[in-house]
Amino acid sequence: MKKILFTVMSFVLATSLLLSGCSKKPEAASGKKYRLATSPYPAFYLLYIAQEEGFYQKEGLDVEVVYFPVYSDSVMAFSTGQVDGIGIAMPDTIAPYINNVPVEVIAMLDNSNGADGIVGSEGINSLEDLKGKSIATEYGTIEHFFLAKRLESVGLTMDDIKFVNLSIADSGPAFLANTVDAAALWEPTLSEAQARPGCKLLTNSEDTPGLIADVLAVNKNLPEEVKIAMVKALYDSLDFYYKNPEKAIKDMAKCADIPEEEMWVAMSGSKLFGPKEGYESMSSKDQNYTALAYDVQEVAKFLYSIKMIESCPDVTGMINAEYAKKVLDEIGDFPVPDTKKY
């Protein structure tokens, strides 16, 4: 599992880049079906709203949203060309990019704002109490980075804990079974783990604004008008979510096959982005985690430090804010759901 997100096959697609204006829609009649990968994480479920409400068709696209129960399988599918795009944690774009997979980040999905966290068993009441304790999460993932940064905030390092390398899907059950003292998890596994008697949430991603960013990434060789249409369908979905939250939650819960009540809770940990704020995060040169370029480069340094990647080049070139800017110029800005209010 240790290298599953990072040992990928390079591939080259012969798709030519079609240059067109933002108002031009793709030719759905061409028969080309685009496949977008999703997996168990709240922000990725936004792709389902566009599917259920017909927004891909509205923008001239024939899209199949493909569900992968195991997140790393979705990343592998994207890296090997089995799907055209993916809802993905920004750090997991790094290895495909440096292995010459033609990955391009075209839109922000969310910043985790409570959807990731560290839970401790009874008697562990603070991050400091994790010293010498066994902690489960998946090596080389954003949860590993989050764990390292939260330990660093209280003067600890990864050497001060007993690291247990398990997938996120296995880390939660291990914590519930009392086989580890703590775990770093994302939703919905995070909420499920808190059913353990005496469990305490030690920290969550509300404490690290911008650190955990999730994005829509596509094969960069897709035609420009297809990428623009995908961004527009995403923003159609967010606008619908803001105006019709009950129906949006129902759409996502249905496709994710989880109860609507659980979806409300899961989505409450996501800070969603409207067109203006999404573009600003993607184009920002600020030196803090709210700037997507800074965030991904810091994660690349971390992955290099733990020998998950063999070099640490500039990886910010995969971020292309051009499509978000074109959509913003065309449709303007609008409010998105404040998921904490629901």
Side-chain angles (χ1 to χ4, degrees), residues 115-309:
D116 299 72
I118 301 171
V119 289
S121 57
E122 189 171 5
I124 299 177
N125 298 308
S126 67
L127 289 170
E128 290 88 344
D129 292 341
L130 292 173
K131 186 172 184 178
K133 299 297 193 296
S134 59
I135 307 177
T137 201
E138 188 166 357
Y139 193 91
T141 63
I142 187 60
E143 293 308 294
H144 187 185
F145 181 59
F146 174 65
L147 172 61
K149 286 297 179 182
R150 296 311 291 144
L151 290 173
E152 182 183 297
S153 73
V154 295
L156 298 177
T157 70
M158 294 298 295
D159 291 335
D160 293 314
I161 65 166
K162 298 173 184 175
F163 184 80
V164 180
N165 180 30
L166 294 173
S167 71
I168 300 300
D170 291 333
S171 294
F175 179 73
L176 285 170
N178 300 322
T179 58
V180 293
D181 300 313
L185 306 166
W186 58 58
E187 292 287 7
T189 309
L190 178 61
S191 291
E192 294 165 358
Q194 292 180 67
R196 174 173 168 172
C199 167
K200 184 177 180 64
L201 179 65
L202 305 176
T203 183
N204 66 26
S205 49
E206 288 186 82
D207 301 323
T208 57
L211 183 74
I212 302 176
D214 301 292
V215 299
L216 177 60
V218 300
N219 185 301
K220 70 179 296 183
N221 294 313
L222 294 181
E224 179 177 320
E225 67 265 27
V226 169
K227 299 174 193 175
I228 290 172
M230 287 182 177
V231 175
K232 290 180 72 175
L234 170 65
Y235 286 132
D236 288 339
S237 301
L238 285 165
D239 186 43
F240 180 84
Y241 188 178
Y242 179 76
K243 295 173 179 175
N244 306 276
E246 291 82 7
K247 182 59 166 62
I249 289 290
K250 185 175 182 178
D251 288 345
M252 292 187 287
K254 170 193 165 186
C255 295
D257 195 25
I258 64 175
E260 290 179 32
E261 295 79 7
E262 186 176 326
M263 184 61 73
W264 286 107
V265 174
M267 289 304 299
S268 70
S270 288
K271 171 187 163 39
L272 303 176
F273 287 81
K276 183 174 184 290
E277 192 175 13
Y279 167 70
E280 288 173 348
S281 178
M282 292 179 70
S283 59
S284 175
K285 304 300 183 185
D286 290 348
Q287 297 297 294
N288 60 60
Y289 287 111
T290 63
L292 191 60
Y294 176 85
D295 182 40
V296 71
Q297 197 63 48
E298 288 299 300
V299 177
K301 293 175 185 176
F302 170 73
L303 294 176
Y304 179 67
S305 75
I306 63 170
K307 298 180 171 57
M308 289 297 292
I309 55 177

Side-chain angles (χ1 to χ4, degrees), residues 4-5 7-9 71-82:
I4 193 166
L5 296 182
T7 304
V8 296
M9 297 171 58
Y71 170 66
S72 55
D73 290 346
S74 71
V75 178
M76 185 62 71
F78 176 71
S79 299
T80 54
Q82 299 173 53

Side-chain angles (χ1 to χ4, degrees), residues 319-333:
I319 302 169
N320 191 340
E322 171 189 349
Y323 313 112
K325 180 63 165 63
K326 287 184 176 181
V327 173
L328 173 61
D329 289 344
E330 181 177 344
I331 70 174
D333 197 29

Side-chain angles (χ1 to χ4, degrees), residues 329-342:
D329 289 344
E330 181 177 344
I331 70 174
D333 197 29
F334 54 80
V336 294
D338 180 354
T339 58
K340 293 292 185 186
K341 290 184 177 179
Y342 300 126

